[in-house]
């Protein structure tokens, strides 16, 4: 494969995805991918598990993901024929790797969608009187309505998707910046909550230190913290629909450390300064509970609306990425050919319908696990395991790229810092996170059943798609 000379003004095929996402869209979607449901909802449970050491957890994970994204960025920019991870893995490792990463990424975002539906139900309970909850039928209707709304948005043009996601992300950014400013003011004015606690930076370390739950609590915090980072690689699925990728992709990747420090570390530091971590409920968003704890009901209502929009944004991005993965798989003969068809608006409409159908079916989980936090934890645990395998394959792709294409690395203007040795360090870290998942009973369940997915993929690849690919190669 050679580097593409494709320009935004070049005529594009009606059978190909269109480069309609501008720098403005890409930057905000990249931020939105880094600020998802895991931060808004999952951080409450993570704080209860790890205490203030959650700040260190986010900095460690954030550093690893910066290198992962630099590796991904260098590979994608080395060959603009790569449309997503599938093309990259298929070319550098083999068709089996492309098949695995494509379908696993699809399932991972389906699970994110299911977790998001659980989160939406949880947030909507905020508006109900104490002691009242939605019936299973009510939960099902809300879930169906959310899925149909996201489907409708994605069936429109990719440019309109980018515009809607831009505003979703902007709402999240402004909300977190607002929380940091208001929380900072509460600390400096020594705000006293109705419970009697006084806002102070010392609240972060004065309730048992930075590691109040010891080493085991610190390790337990990694699982849900990892879920918060699902989506940071989302720009890797947008390579085929990004204008001027040589300029815009590096900007989006290089901004990741700043975003993590600002939106994760600083925001949660302020939250735990205003509200002692021991008083933050595990089953609520700490961003909402901060204002509730402080007795500022109006602000809590606004933040709850923001959190709801964040969850919808996460689901919106997830449905977008699954349809593009299905499109790439179908193009390679690894998914039904119908999924490679584009609508008149250059959108993979059949892939969108396919994905939304599975998310809708997954919403039935609400019937079997009526506790929304438990449903969220189960779906997010399975999701994290899949994404760990996907992130690992991205790093293996980089190692293969350095071995097979040294001339492209030499020409690259966006080289990954640390190169191959840093790739191995990231892989060791990802293996370490899998070990951590075995320490908690709820995540251990997900870890035990995850090999079922590998068996399903191996069987379908050998029985259905490998013979089809042989036929295609003979025909060519």
């Amino acid at each position: 494969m050679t580097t593409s000379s494709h320009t935004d003004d070049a005529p594009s095929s009606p059978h190909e995805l269109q480069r309609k996402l501008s720098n403005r869209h890409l930057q905000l979607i990249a931020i939105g991918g880094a600020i998802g449901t895991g931060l808004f909802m999952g951080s409450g449970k993570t704080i209860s598990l790890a205490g203030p050491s959650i700040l260190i957890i986010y900095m460690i994970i954030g550093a690893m993901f910066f290198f992962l994204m630099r590796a991904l960025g260098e590979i994608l920019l080395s060959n603009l024929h790569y449309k997503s991870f599938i093309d990259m893995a298929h070319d550098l490792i083999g068709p089996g790797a492309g098949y695995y990463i494509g379908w696993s990424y699809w399932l991972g975002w389906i699970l994110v969608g299911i977790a998001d539906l659980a989160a939406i139900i949880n947030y909507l309970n905020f508006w109900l009187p104490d002691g009242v909850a939605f019936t299973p039928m009510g939960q099902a209707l809300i879930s169906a309505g959310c899925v149909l709304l996201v489907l409708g948005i994605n069936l429109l043009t990719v440019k309109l998707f980018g515009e809607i996601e831009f505003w979703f992300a902007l709402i999240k950014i402004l909300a977190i910046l607002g929380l940091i400013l208001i929380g900072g003011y509460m600390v400096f004015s020594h705000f006293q909550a109705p419970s009697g606690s006084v806002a102070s930076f010392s609240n972060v370390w004065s309730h048992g230190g930075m590691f109040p739950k010891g080493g085991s609590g610190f390790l337990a915090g990694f699982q849900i913290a990892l879920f918060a980072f699902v989506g940071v690689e989302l720009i890797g699925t947008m390579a085929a629909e990004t204008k001027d990728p040589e300029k815009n992709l590096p900007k989006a990747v290089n901004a990741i450390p700043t975003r993590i420090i600002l939106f994760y570390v600083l925001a949660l530091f302020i939250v735990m300064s205003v509200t002692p971590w021991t008083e933050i409920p595990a089953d609520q968003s700490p961003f909402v509970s901060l204002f509730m704890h402080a007795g500022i009901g109006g602000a809590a209502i606004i933040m709850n609306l923001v959190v709801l929009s964040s969850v919808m944004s996460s689901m919106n991005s997830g449905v977008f990425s699954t349809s593009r993965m299905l499109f790439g798989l179908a193009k390679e003969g690894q998914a039904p050919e119908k999924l490679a068809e584009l609508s008149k608006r250059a959108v993979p409409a059949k892939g969108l319908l396919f994905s939304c159908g599975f998310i809708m079916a997954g919403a039935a989980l609400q019937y079997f696990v009526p506790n929304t936090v438990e449903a969220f934890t189960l779906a997010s645990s399975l999701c994290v395991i899949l994404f760990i395998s996907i992130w690992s394959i991205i790093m293996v792709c980089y190692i293969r790229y350095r071995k097979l294409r040294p001339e492209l690395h030499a020409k690259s203007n966006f080289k990954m810092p640390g190169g191959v040795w840093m790739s191995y360090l990231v892989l060791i870290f990802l293996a370490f996170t899998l070990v951590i998942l075995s320490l908690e009973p709820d995540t251990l369940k997900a870890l035990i059943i995850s090999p079922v997915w590998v068996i399903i993929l191996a069987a379908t690849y050998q029985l259905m798609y490998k013979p089809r690919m042989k036929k295609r190669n003979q025909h060519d």
Side-chain angles (χ1 to χ4, degrees):
M1 289 174 135
T2 58
T3 303
S4 171
S5 59
H6 183 94
T7 65
D8 299 333
D9 299 324
S12 41
S13 166
H15 304 296
E16 295 294 336
L17 299 172
Q18 310 295 301
R19 292 188 182 274
K20 299 293 185 182
L21 294 176
S22 67
N23 177 51
R24 176 172 65 90
H25 294 140
L26 190 68
Q27 294 294 330
L28 269 290
I29 290 169
I31 295 174
I35 311 170
T37 314
L39 174 63
F40 280 116
M41 183 171 180
S43 52
K45 183 170 182 183
T46 314
I47 289 170
S48 72
L49 289 171
S53 65
I54 184 177
L55 304 176
I56 299 168
I57 291 170
Y58 279 135
M59 284 192 279
I60 292 171
I61 299 174
M64 292 295 112
F65 273 89
F66 170 68
F67 291 108
L68 184 144
M69 290 304 299
R70 283 296 299 257
L72 177 60
E74 182 180 339
I75 298 172
L76 290 175
L77 292 175
S78 75
N79 190 334
L80 296 184
H81 283 296
Y82 292 153
K83 306 300 185 198
S84 68
F85 316 134
I86 298 174
D87 297 338
M88 188 178 82
H90 188 283
D91 183 41
L92 295 170
I93 302 177
Y99 183 79
Y100 177 84
I101 201 170
W103 279 109
S104 295
Y105 197 71
W106 172 82
L107 179 62
W109 275 106
I110 294 298
L111 290 169
V112 170
I114 295 167
D116 287 341
L117 289 176
I120 288 168
I121 300 298
N122 184 276
Y123 292 142
L124 287 176
N125 281 325
F126 174 87
W127 306 97
L128 296 179
D130 289 340
V132 178
F134 287 106
T135 63
M137 180 56 70
Q139 292 183 12
L141 290 173
I142 291 168
S143 297
C146 291
V147 174
L148 291 173
L149 175 61
V150 167
L151 175 63
I153 291 171
N154 276 272
L155 284 173
L156 303 172
T157 63
V158 66
K159 188 172 182 180
L160 190 57
F161 160 82
E163 199 62 38
I164 291 169
E165 197 55 34
F166 170 88
W167 289 104
F168 268 146
L170 191 61
I171 289 169
K172 288 191 273 191
I173 293 164
L174 292 175
I176 293 180
L177 290 175
L179 178 138
I180 290 170
L181 291 172
I182 293 169
Y185 172 78
M186 292 166 75
V187 170
F188 287 112
S189 63
H190 304 293
F191 180 88
Q192 184 170 357
S195 64
S197 63
V198 178
S200 168
F201 292 133
S202 64
N203 282 333
V204 176
W205 57 81
S206 62
H207 295 269
M210 290 299 292
F211 296 89
K213 298 291 187 81
S216 60
F218 178 68
L219 294 177
F222 272 88
Q223 185 267 321
I224 297 179
L226 268 174
F227 181 71
F229 284 81
V230 166
V232 75
E233 75 301 308
L234 191 62
I235 54 176
T237 68
M238 299 179 182
E241 295 172 276
T242 302
K243 292 180 181 178
D244 196 5
E246 296 99 329
K247 178 183 176 183
N248 294 330
L249 277 175
K251 280 185 182 178
V253 171
N254 284 335
I256 287 172
T258 308
R259 288 168 188 156
I260 288 164
I261 291 170
L262 179 64
F263 297 123
Y264 283 75
V265 180
L266 183 56
L268 289 176
F269 180 80
I270 292 294
V271 165
M272 289 186 288
S273 297
V274 174
T275 311
W277 73 269
T278 51
E279 298 177 25
I280 295 173
D283 60 349
Q284 288 182 19
S285 167
F287 296 87
V288 176
S289 62
L290 178 147
F291 294 111
M292 293 295 290
H293 175 78
I296 310 174
I301 291 169
I302 293 169
M303 185 55 71
N304 199 68
L305 288 170
V306 168
V307 171
L308 272 169
S309 74
S310 170
V311 181
M312 290 302 295
S313 166
S314 171
M315 190 185 297
N316 194 33
S317 296
V319 168
F320 172 92
S321 61
T322 57
S323 65
R324 272 57 181 179
M325 280 291 147
L326 292 173
F327 176 83
L329 286 163
K331 280 283 188 181
E332 294 291 340
Q334 295 183 339
E337 292 177 6
K338 290 285 185 184
L339 298 177
E341 295 176 5
L342 297 178
S343 69
K344 291 178 182 178
R345 299 174 185 269
V347 167
K350 289 179 180 173
L352 289 167
L353 289 165
F354 185 80
S355 295
C356 286
F358 273 87
I359 293 174
M360 195 87 80
L365 187 68
Q366 300 275 341
Y367 279 100
F368 301 106
V369 190
N371 182 323
T372 53
V373 174
E374 191 179 332
F376 176 84
T377 302
L378 180 61
S380 64
S381 300
L382 286 166
C383 175
V384 164
I385 292 164
L386 283 174
F387 274 89
I388 288 171
S389 69
I390 291 161
W391 297 325
S392 299
I393 290 173
I394 290 172
M395 298 317 300
V396 171
C397 281
Y398 183 80
I399 294 167
R400 293 282 294 166
Y401 154 80
R402 289 293 301 271
K403 182 179 179 180
L404 300 174
R405 312 280 157 78
E407 72 286 354
L408 291 181
H409 172 70
K411 289 191 299 183
S412 175
N413 294 320
F414 193 59
K415 292 182 173 70
M416 175 197 174
V420 174
W421 70 267
M422 181 54 74
S423 300
Y424 282 111
L425 185 60
V426 174
L427 283 170
I428 290 168
F429 169 75
L430 292 171
F432 159 74
T433 59
L434 274 181
V435 173
I436 291 171
L437 292 177
S438 67
L439 303 178
E440 288 290 308
D442 50 358
T443 52
L444 179 60
K445 289 176 193 172
L447 198 60
I448 290 169
I449 65 172
S450 58
V452 174
W453 175 244
V454 179
I455 294 168
I456 292 170
L457 285 186
T460 54
Y461 180 73
Q462 291 293 332
L463 298 175
M464 296 170 65
Y465 295 109
K466 202 171 181 183
R468 181 188 293 183
M469 289 169 70
K470 280 184 181 177
K471 284 182 183 178
R472 285 181 62 169
N473 292 335
Q474 288 170 359
H475 181 71
D476 294 339

